[in-house]
Amino acid sequence: MAAKRGRTNYHVDRDILDEASLEELAQKLHSSKKPCLVDRLKHSCRCSLPQLKRRVVGCLPVLYWLPRYSIWDYGMGDLIAGISVGIMQLPQGMAYALLASLPPVFGLYTCLYPVLIYFFFGTSRHISIGPFAVLSIMVGSVVEQLAPDQKFLIMNGTNLTSIVDEAARDSYRVKVAATTTVLGGIIQVVLGLVRFGFVGTYLSEPLVRGYTSAAACHAVVAQLKYIFGLSPRRFNGPLSLVYVLVDICSQLHQIHVPTLVVSSVSLVTLFSAKELNSALAKKLPVPIPVELISIAVATLLSSYTYLNQNYAIGVVGEIPSGLIPPSTPQVSLFHEVIGDAFALAVVGYAISVSLGKTFAIKNGYKVDTNQELVALGLSNITGGFFHCYSVGCSMSRSLVQLTTGGKTQIAGVVSALIVLIAILKLGPLFQELPKAVLSAIVLVNLKGMFKQFYDIITLWKTSKVDLLVWLVTWMFTLLFHLDMGLAASIMFALLTVIFRTQLPKYSVLGQIPGTEIYLDMEKYKEAQEIPGVTIFQSSATVYFANADLYLEALKEKSGINISKMITYKRRQEAKQRRREKRAERRAKREAKRQKAAMKAAEGNTVVFSVEEEVVHWREDDRQDGLTREEQEQDFTMRENGTVFVIPELQREHGSWEYLKGGDPELGMLGSVSELDGDTTTLASSCDDTLSRDLEQISLGSLGKWTWDIHSIILDLSTANFIDTVAIKTMKNIFQDFGEIDVDVYMAGCQATVVEQLETGDFFYDSITKSHLFATVHDAVLYCLRKRGASAASSYDCILDTSCSTKM
């Protein structure tokens, strides 16, 4: 479009909207009686049929989408996706069970029961619920802490050595894992019912990615014993990862070579096949099930070559066929695992919701965060009763479910049926599977988490604060372990938010000519200053952490050193009060002397000199509490004082004459009657005049804008709350600037901020709601109108909003 220039008048002719006028308008619009508490309770307890339907559908989302399910549109895609995910879940379930320090069959159980429960209560249609590497590591940490091998040692009768009772150990570990899972599920359900779904927002994306990257490092270290065939000691608490690595390094000379060969071959095969899958992803309808093929081939080789008997390579062992009946969790362990259960609940929810929201945005539906908490909690509670451990969302399986055509959670049901068939019929076939192959599957599936280290480069370019959160989270999780590392990382992330709100950007706003828009004058050169008005804005909410900084920034931006000015003013006022007291006492004393002098000697002239008055002056200074230096200064100011004389010719009239010594310009002769009856000496009067002159000069020199600014407008449009400390700071701003005749106003306050100001007793006689304005422009117009003629030119300039418009 061609540029079109011209002058257009946008005359602003409207009433100024302050808070008081807005309240009056609101009362006129809402003059009807507000419902009382009883009426509101009655209204909330009413439940019509549509409301009941919405609540039931909200609790069971499957009732919303299942009746609308189209087999022709979604059936084939869900079937293929479910089979693909089910094939992936078989090896991953057994492999992740090793991360949780549990027998592999319990990983298969975890792929079955929670998936079926999530089908009914979940709101995401694409995520794959089941074992997840990070949660498996966290479960393994608490399991090995409460059920270490040392607690299950028994004596071998043949050679009198101690061996581990693996059956008793695994049975107790399953109880610990199930108990932790049930407690974590209860926490999730409670958080969901109280609408606490926003807790996941405190786990920012850099924090989650840094945490999962560190968890991947923990997973690698946990699998080294199966890769190398070693038996390192188990450490818990801070620096446990370092201790395990040191112990493994000390045992490197004991590496079991056959196990290392199996691990290496499995790693190379799986990694190559995964890369081939990625390269041919667009050409293949479904990914090649390389993990299932690897498990089948490794099981056959191990069975026919007797790897366990001939080469002492560790295998999965006995896998019972069929399902185990449910059992109640061991409630007595709740107090020991509550911290780990809370960490599992938060991490599992955060990862699942973040991935679910991503898929929901791509496919055009909504994920209810609170319902997701309830769904995951019920899945964990039910799974815990059936010997499962904590579940979450697997990114690799979810991507497979999405890319193979999955549309709904029907795909999850199909994958659960695949796992069920494997548990019932195929379980015993995997008894000879080497554990080294499962460890290789774990390491290959951690590839995506290790790719997250590229975030360091991206965050370095985009946000240094987010990079710091990522690195600190990664370091804390490595050093302090998973549970303590998560807590420390969340605290650090919150501290970064506090620091950023503590150090906001403060700016002085100016008007864009021809508009009601006010912008930072340092950033926008077109913004013009309103003469006599300073518009101050903070980029963050004012609260206890930055209230003092807000006040200091206001002093700096306004150019008024309010503290020094008020201190000087109060000092001058105190001096003036002392002078008035001295003058009053001198007047009384002189009146008394005058009365006595009238009765004195008839023929002699009575002279009272300055020397006779020195003693009286010093007594006055001591009564006023002056120091020695102040007394000397006061005496110096008066040393050329007045000599009072009673002339002989006029003594009968009782008239006094005075002679001012010292400064010839101030020296003069006259009568007391010329002072209109004021008995204060000329020296005192001159002191008062000098004091006022000095006061004006000092106030003018202490602040650059002392005489240029008559109003300050605080733009609070960025504040979403205000606490008691900030309210006190605002009161001080109003009072301090009011002492030097500078008016203060607020603009852009949200309704919640106004309510908090009311409850905080901010308003009183001198600060009313008329000091609050709807916009900055309203406040500017009011300031200029209030100043009248002195601001007439500026006011006309604001109203005449003529501007050049580019078309």
Side-chain angles (χ1 to χ4, degrees), residues 73-88 125-126 128 277 281 284-289 359 363 396-408 411-412 414-415:
D73 295 334
Y74 306 140
M76 186 57 66
D78 284 341
L79 180 62
I80 295 174
I83 294 173
S84 303
V85 173
I87 291 173
M88 286 186 66
R125 305 174 191 174
H126 294 88
S128 176
N277 256 342
L284 296 174
V286 294
I288 301 174
F359 291 147
N363 293 274
S396 59
R397 294 197 306 269
S398 300
L399 289 174
V400 169
Q401 180 171 323
L402 181 65
T403 55
T404 54
K407 301 294 183 181
T408 66
V414 174
S415 68

Side-chain angles (χ1 to χ4, degrees), residues 308-384:
N308 185 25
Q309 293 82 355
N310 297 334
Y311 301 101
I313 295 177
V315 295
V316 170
E318 182 181 359
I319 296 179
S321 59
L323 301 174
I324 301 177
S327 62
T328 57
Q330 195 165 347
V331 181
S332 60
L333 292 175
F334 276 4
H335 70 282
E336 296 186 52
V337 299
I338 186 171
D340 300 279
F342 186 82
L344 284 166
V346 173
V347 173
Y349 164 72
I351 294 174
S352 300
V353 167
S354 60
L355 197 58
K357 284 184 176 180
T358 302
F359 291 147
I361 293 173
K362 289 182 179 179
N363 293 274
Y365 64 93
K366 185 179 180 181
V367 171
D368 187 347
T369 56
N370 293 300
Q371 182 61 28
E372 282 296 294
L373 264 175
V374 175
L376 287 172
L378 293 175
S379 300
N380 281 319
I381 292 173
T382 306

